[in-house]
Every structure is written in structure tokens, then in C-alpha cells.
Amino acid sequence: MTTRINPHRLVQASPADLKHPSNNIKRIVLSTAQIAVEAHPAKWLRTPSKPKSRVLVIAHSDRGALDDHALQTIAAAAILADAETAVLALILGELNDDLSSAAADEVMILPALDFQIFQPDIELASVLAIIELLKPKHIFLPDNLIGDGDLGRRLAALKKLSVATHVLEIDVQHVASAQSGGCVLAQSNLPEVILLAPNAVDAELPFTAKATRIDAPTINHAASPYQAHYQDMGLQTSAAEDIALEDADFIVSAGNGVQNLATLASLASSLNAAVGASRVVVDDGKFPRDKQIGATGKTVTASTYMAIGISGAVQHLQGIKDCRHVIAINKDASAPIVKRANLSVIGDAEAVMQALMIEIEKAKEVVA
Amino acid sequence: MKDSVKHIAVLVSAGRHPVSGEPRHCHNDSLALALGLNLASKVQVLHAGTPSNPALQDYFALGATQIDVVPNSDDIIESLAAQLTDANLILTGTRAESGEDSGLLPYLLAAKLNVPIVADALEIKANREQLEVLQFLPKGRRRRVLVSLPAVVAVHPSAAEALHFVHARKNLGNINTLHASNTKMQTIIDDSKQADSKQWRAKPARKPIKLIAQTAQTGHERLMAAISNKAKGGTVVNEGNNVEKAQVILRYLREHQLIEF
Ligand SMILES: Cc1cc2nc3c(=O)[nH]c(=O)nc-3n(C[C@H](O)[C@H](O)[C@H](O)COP(=O)(O)OP(=O)(O)OC[C@H]3O[C@@H](n4cnc5c(N)ncnc54)[C@H](O)[C@@H]3O)c2cc1C
């Protein structure tokens, strides 16, 4: 009697089977977990062993981390660098992250030059000293409003360097920026100073780099020719409710799973956060239309986005794609928001919010 | 204290209506003019370009009484700087947020005149020999900065200055064309490298191409990448009571320095 082979059996292909040259059978294998791992082959190391030249990326950090725009700028430099060029990331402000996955070959940190303090003359003097020392071929900066756009323009104007600002398109040969009210996409050869617009580069890289820490040269500010023309009188942060959602740094957002909006409002005020909402909640008339976040509402860029009782429909996720830290509170562990969130707490929205407010009060008392 | 800053100059450019393309005033420069007129009853208004540009009349409607026009030349910065050697405060607009303009002009002028520059100003107040500037920063942050005079200040588009547009004033102003000859100060030789119009090749607008790293993937790798669930997902906390869950959130916020307590 012949034994029948079960046609519905699980295919048992190992990664070795697929790799072996004698195994020419092409098949689609979906069932084994090991093979899915193969989909992300180890990244290769880009760092040149004997670099002949350097490119410099300058970016301010915010609370010890670089934002996506800064990471994109490092990625651009790394993609364009040839095999004999090293990418040096000069970070102004503290840095807690490792920049090897950002593909910086070398990292130099000047913690005193935090973006919160206005000291363009000292920043410029420091950067000039480093440029003098390392003679980079190109200097990349994110064209932002936390000091990098300003610094790049000061540098180019003072040293009469060729420069392109708000660069929307870049490759080995050219850069392009919008001119004449957006009617023209003007192109130029790669200039010495490149100020990149956000999202002109994909920061997802197939390679990593060594991110070797190198010490900054000692910079003698007293001897610098830049007089102290400026005096910083301090930073002020507006109350969260006065800030437009697009401009807010911390948003607590209400979805259909929030029973008690008053709890959410007081949680938001204890975190000094702005309040947003999903479309369902806005459609219910609980919030004005200008609080809606998503494809048909507002696109927000807050560093922290707390999604409470929000399922995370694609239309909603579109509006928060640039948020760095997404925290979800949801009773359903399979809700799509859980895949997007950096931290998901599975539980009842009202109960977790109440507990969180008590913890926040306690934490504030300890500090005070 | 009005009029405590002597000789304020405002640089204005010609804008275009975003839909019709009609020439009109540039919003940012109009804000600069309004801030200037707050500080002093009379300011010098300067434009580099053609005297007959109809957009200039908008600035009369916005309070200018005379516009000095510096004719276009090879080096606009040079010609403008020659007019501004006596100015104590030079106001301009900042580049549009949408990046339709390089935003370099105020920096080049400041470098040429060897004076400090503060960009993204929302409010300005005269304070003896200094100027107090409220500066825009993203995410609802603002910063107060003192800058010594003379200085260049570039005004941010969200400066909350109300523009008073009086149509009746449109034809009342006087356009004063300056001669190109007296705009020449000196010729700088190594300016050839300076970014200017010569560097750029104009191409019609299209969607910019994003820079993406080349990946040498086999067909199989591409397939697996497409079908495997790429969404990384973060930490999921299922266990514990509500207090413990709340503590996890608080710890996360602290670890990433997202709160200050
Ligand atoms: C063309 C189009 C455009 C759209 N544009 C937008 C847009 O701009 N913005 C937008 O937000 N949506 C938009 N939508 C709607 C979107 O598809 C979703 O329907 C909507 O985002 C869902 O909102 P929600 O997550 O608040 O509600 P629901 O989908 O009802 O989800 C509620 C969530 O709360 C959880 N929950 C319930 N009770 C509790 C509890 N007690 N404690 C904790 N969690 C609880 C549930 O598990 C669920 O995940 C659009 C849709 C279309 C078709």
C-alpha cells in the first residue's frame, strides 16, 4: 500500500536548503520563522579603514538625542561618501545615542553648545576651528530652526563658501532647491555647504559605521575674533493650550476608547501637553475639527504622542508618522496602534490614566 | 520708547500672489516694515530691483512713504551694503517656511557689514544701545535675546504684527531710484565662489527625488522583506496592575527625557 503524503503539511525548508548551490528549487516559504530572519541580512560596515578625506555633518541634539531630520542628514553624507571618505558627525549638545546605525564613522560631541542657548558666535568659532583642522570636502547640516539652519548660513556667509539651502533633492552630482515661489526647481553642483530640507533622504540604511568617538580640539574662545554681540535672556515655553497642535512637542490624544474626556484633559494639563483627537471623537462633536489628527486632519510632529483608546487606523497613523515616541494605552493588544507604538500599555484607559496622574503628582512632589 | 533707534532700514522684496501670480507685497517683508514702524515714525525702505514693479505700491499702502530702489546689479549684496553703512538696524523677512527662498540675504549682508544678525524675530524692543528680540523656536518655545546695534534682524513669518493696509495710500508714496554708480563701494575679488545666481540652473518644478541607499538584494530577500512584518513594534506591557502600568509609562518618559520631573 502506498502512503499518502499530506498535501497540507508544513514545508520544512531550512535556511541552509535555500542557500545551498545544488538546491535549485525555487519556492516560496512562508511558514518557518528562521527564514524570516534571513530577510534582514546583517548590515555591512561602511567605515573606510584608511580614509583619505572627510565630510562633516553638523547637528544640534535635543535632550541628548538627534531628531529624524539630523539622522537623515548623516545618512545623506554616508550614502554620498565614497569608499575613501569618512563621515564625521559633529554634535552640538549632549548625545546619549550611539550613531553607528546612523552610519557616522566618527563622532565628535560639544556638549556645551546646546541648542537652547543662543551663542552663535561661540558655535561659529568652534566649528571654524574644527573645519580648519579637518578640512572636510563638504559640510552638511539639517536646515532647521533649532540653530543648524542659522549656523550653516552664518558659516557660508562669513567664509564665502558656496552653499545650497533648503535642499529638496541631492545625489552625487547635484543638489536642487525650490526657487521663485516653487515654480522652479533650481539645480547646482554639490556646493561646500549643504543645508538639507526634511525628508529629502531616506534614513534607512543597509550599512552601519563604527561611530568612533573622537575628542574635540580645545577651542580658545577668548582668542576668537568674534566679539560677544549676543546675550541670551532665556528660553520660555508657552502653555500647551496656547500652542497650535502642529507646533506642540507633547500631545495627549483621545480616541473612541476614552469614556471620560475630563480625565484626559487633566492628564494632559499635568503633563503640560496639547490635546488632540481621532476622527471618530471629532465626528461625535466632542472636539472641534481643528483637533483632529490624521490624513484628513492635522499632521503633527510632537516628540511624544500618547494615543489613548485609539485603534491606530492607517488614516490616523499618517498624521503621526513624524512623532518620535508613541505611547499607546489600549485594552486590545492586537490593535494596530500597538505595532506603531514604542510603548503600549494594555488596559482600561480610564483606570490607567487615573493611576498615571497619581504617579505624576508623586513624581512632581519629589522634585519640588 | 519710540524713535530711540536712529536710522532703521527695512529691505523689501517683490512677492507674487500664490494663486494668480500677480505681483504684490511679500508677507514677511511687510511684517519687517510693520515692526520697523513700531520702533520709529520714519524708516528707510530699500528695494533691490526694478523701480516700476507694481508690487512696491503695496508697501506705500502698508505705511512706507518713500522707497529707495537700488537697480539690479551683478552683486546685490554689494549694492545694498553700500546704502546701509549708516543704518543702525536693518530689518528683513526670513525665508518662507516653505523654503521658496534661500534665506541667505540677511546673513550675507551682516557678514559684509560686519554686524551681528538675529533671525526668526517675532517681536523687537529697543533697549538703549541694544535691541531685545523675541525669537521663534519650534515646538512652542520662544527665546529672548539681546543684540548690540548696529545689527541685522530677520523677521519670522509668524510675527504677530497686524498689517494695516490702506488702499488710499497706495499712490501717495515716492519711488526714488538710486544711481548704480554711487552704489559701488569696492570690488571684492574672491566673491566668485559666493553662492549666487550663476551657480544655479533653473529647471521647471517637479517632484523632488528622494535619496535612498542602494541595497544589493536578491529577489528572495526582496520578497521576504515585502511579506515579513516590518513593523518593529515597541514594548508591550500586558502584566501588572494599573499602578505598575502607570509607572512603566512614567519611567519611559523619564528615560527619554520627555518630562522634567
Ligand atoms: C477617507 C478617510 C479619512 C480618514 N481620516 C481620518 C483622520 O484624519 N484621522 C482619524 O483619526 N481617523 C480618520 N479616519 C477614520 C479612521 O479610519 C478610523 O475610523 C478612526 O481613526 C478610528 O478612531 P478611533 O481609533 O478613535 O476609534 P475606534 O476605531 O473605535 O477605536 C477605539 C479603540 O479604543 C480601544 N478601547 C475601547 N475601549 C477602551 C477602554 N475602555 N480602554 C482602552 N482602550 C479602549 C479599542 O480597543 C480600539 O482600539 C478616516 C477614514 C477615512 C475612510
Side-chain angles (χ1 to χ4, degrees):
Chain A
M1 217 173 70
T2 46
T3 23
R4 281 198 69 219
I5 296 172
N6 176 8
H8 303 295
R9 73 194 186 284
L10 277 180
V11 183
Q12 292 293 331
S14 71
D17 281 343
L18 286 167
K19 270 203 199 139
H20 199 278
S22 68
N23 187 346
N24 277 329
I25 308 164
K26 293 204 172 132
R27 54 192 166 202
I28 296 171
V29 186
L30 302 179
S31 54
T32 36
Q34 287 132 306
I35 298 193
V37 177
E38 282 284 292
H40 303 290
K43 294 184 173 186
W44 51 281
L45 188 72
R46 200 206 73 88
T47 305
S49 49
K50 288 196 190 68
K52 289 204 177 126
S53 60
R54 278 199 175 93
V55 290
L56 179 63
V57 181
I58 309 175
H60 282 86
S61 61
D62 182 357
R63 288 162 287 181
L66 294 183
D67 60 11
D68 288 345
H69 193 180
L71 295 176
Q72 289 161 8
T73 311
I74 301 177
I79 295 172
L80 300 184
D82 60 27
E84 296 184 321
T85 304
V87 176
L88 167 65
L90 173 62
I91 308 304
L92 311 183
E94 306 264 356
L95 185 73
N96 304 329
D97 298 347
D98 173 51
L99 292 184
S100 52
S101 59
D105 300 315
E106 300 162 324
V107 181
M108 194 188 275
I109 303 173
L110 297 176
L113 302 184
D114 193 285
F115 88 96
Q116 301 205 5
I117 309 163
F118 191 63
Q119 42 188 357
D121 41 357
I122 296 175
E123 287 189 353
L124 196 56
S126 311
V127 165
L128 283 174
I130 290 164
I131 292 173
E132 189 67 30
L133 193 74
L134 303 174
K135 309 222 165 6
K137 280 195 297 190
H138 296 284
I139 302 163
F140 293 80
L141 301 105
D143 201 351
N144 60 25
L145 294 182
I146 61 166
D148 300 317
D150 186 64
L151 180 61
R153 287 176 175 79
R154 282 176 196 271
L155 178 67
L158 187 73
K159 286 287 149 189
K160 298 190 171 26
L161 301 174
S162 59
V163 52
T165 64
H166 225 277
V167 169
L168 297 169
E169 180 178 290
I170 182 166
D171 65 20
V172 190
Q173 268 115 39
H174 83 286
V175 294
S177 325
Q179 283 181 1
S180 303
C183 312
V184 171
L185 191 71
Q187 305 197 352
S188 128
N189 297 341
L190 278 196
E192 286 151 306
V193 179
I194 298 158
L195 287 154
L196 267 190
N199 301 323
V201 180
D202 188 343
E204 198 62 49
L205 297 174
F207 49 78
T208 59
K210 283 194 178 148
T212 317
R213 277 287 293 270
I214 54 176
D215 291 332
T218 20
I219 295 150
N220 185 357
H221 294 305
S224 93
Y226 309 97
Q227 284 177 36
H229 283 301
Y230 311 96
Q231 197 182 329
D232 190 320
M233 306 289 286
L235 205 66
Q236 59 196 60
T237 311
S238 336
E241 57 265 35
D242 300 339
I243 306 175
L245 268 183
E246 296 94 323
D247 201 22
D249 191 39
F250 200 136
I251 298 176
V252 173
S253 199
N256 202 17
V258 175
Q259 307 93 326
N260 191 350
L261 287 171
T263 315
L264 186 126
S266 50
L267 173 66
S269 85
S270 69
L271 288 164
N272 192 27
V275 176
S278 76
R279 172 155 155 187
V280 174
V281 179
V282 171
D283 283 352
D284 282 352
K286 293 173 186 157
F287 281 108
R289 190 57 70 189
D290 68 357
K291 294 284 181 203
Q292 180 182 325
I293 292 169
T296 45
K298 289 191 165 166
T299 302
V300 296
T301 57
S303 309
T304 321
Y305 186 78
M306 211 179 261
I308 306 184
I310 293 181
S311 60
V314 277
Q315 294 89 356
H316 189 82
L317 295 184
Q318 265 177 45
I320 60 167
K321 63 182 188 317
D322 292 326
C323 292
R324 187 66 179 270
H325 301 278
V326 175
I327 300 174
I329 304 177
N330 201 302
K331 70 172 182 195
D332 175 9
S334 63
I337 189 79
V338 175
K339 288 212 186 75
R340 168 65 178 82
N342 303 79
L343 174 67
S344 306
V345 165
I346 310 304
D348 178 60
E350 180 68 21
V352 177
M353 284 195 292
Q354 293 288 0
L356 185 54
M357 278 197 290
I358 294 170
E359 293 303 314
I360 289 170
E361 281 319 307
K362 277 196 221 158
K364 282 184 176 168
E365 267 166 34
V366 173
V367 173
Chain B
M1 260 196 312
K2 206 154 172 165
D3 292 318
S4 66
V5 182
K6 300 277 169 279
H7 195 164
I8 299 177
V10 183
L11 304 186
V12 298
S13 57
R16 272 184 190 286
H17 190 277
V19 179
S20 67
E22 280 288 298
R24 63 159 199 184
H25 65 107
C26 172
H27 180 74
N28 282 357
D29 299 341
S30 310
L31 290 172
L33 177 61
L35 285 179
L37 288 170
N38 267 351
L39 281 184
S41 31
K42 197 167 171 358
V43 300
Q44 181 191 10
V45 182
L46 207 61
H47 170 72
T50 22
S52 56
N53 195 323
L56 294 183
Q57 262 142 28
D58 281 359
Y59 293 105
F60 295 137
L62 287 162
T65 47
Q66 169 170 319
I67 300 180
D68 293 336
V69 179
V70 184
N72 270 327
S73 66
D74 281 353
D75 190 343
I76 299 228
I77 302 297
E78 184 77 47
S79 337
L80 282 174
Q83 298 301 324
L84 293 167
T85 44
D86 298 330
N88 240 326
L89 173 61
I90 300 158
L91 290 168
T92 76
T94 310
R95 82 202 134 114
E97 279 276 286
S98 53
E100 287 160 356
D101 176 26
S102 75
L104 279 164
L105 180 110
Y107 292 88
L108 292 170
L109 255 185
K112 181 113 236 161
L113 295 165
N114 198 17
V115 299
I117 160 157
V118 177
D120 302 317
L122 294 170
E123 292 166 16
I124 47 179
K125 260 192 283 182
N127 191 336
R128 292 200 194 92
E129 289 302 287
Q130 289 178 311
L131 201 68
E132 188 180 317
V133 180
L134 181 70
Q135 208 183 19
F136 175 92
L137 284 176
K139 315 229 153 151
R141 289 168 295 208
R142 305 287 179 262
R143 179 163 55 201
R144 283 198 188 279
V145 170
L146 282 183
V147 58
S148 62
L149 292 174
V152 176
V153 172
V155 179
H156 189 269
S158 50
E161 206 48 55
L163 298 179
H164 302 288
F165 198 96
V166 183
H167 275 279
R169 285 201 297 239
K170 250 185 148 174
N171 297 315
L172 293 182
N174 171 28
I175 290 189
N176 173 31
T177 309
L178 302 168
H179 292 293
S181 58
N182 66 6
T183 64
K184 270 269 170 290
M185 197 159 58
Q186 75 213 85
T187 343
I188 300 285
I189 305 135
D190 72 356
D191 261 5
S192 53
K193 268 210 304 181
Q194 189 69 61
D196 61 2
S197 51
K198 281 166 262 165
Q199 179 193 337
W200 294 95
R201 304 177 290 274
K203 297 273 164 70
R206 57 168 167 75
K207 194 170 181 286
I209 301 164
K210 197 169 186 167
L211 178 66
I212 297 173
Q214 290 293 321
T215 47
Q217 277 187 329
T218 64
H220 180 252
E221 280 166 359
R222 274 205 304 276
L223 173 75
M224 291 315 291
I227 59 174
S228 66
N229 194 349
K230 271 225 295 233
K232 290 171 288 257
T235 320
V236 180
V237 180
N238 239 322
E239 308 295 310
N241 58 29
N242 291 322
V243 176
E244 284 158 346
K245 286 172 183 166
Q247 282 165 347
V248 172
I249 298 180
L250 197 63
R251 208 175 314 130
Y252 183 95
L253 293 173
R254 278 191 170 151
E255 251 167 40
H256 294 90
Q257 301 180 38
L258 304 170
I259 47 175
E260 276 155 14
F261 45 86

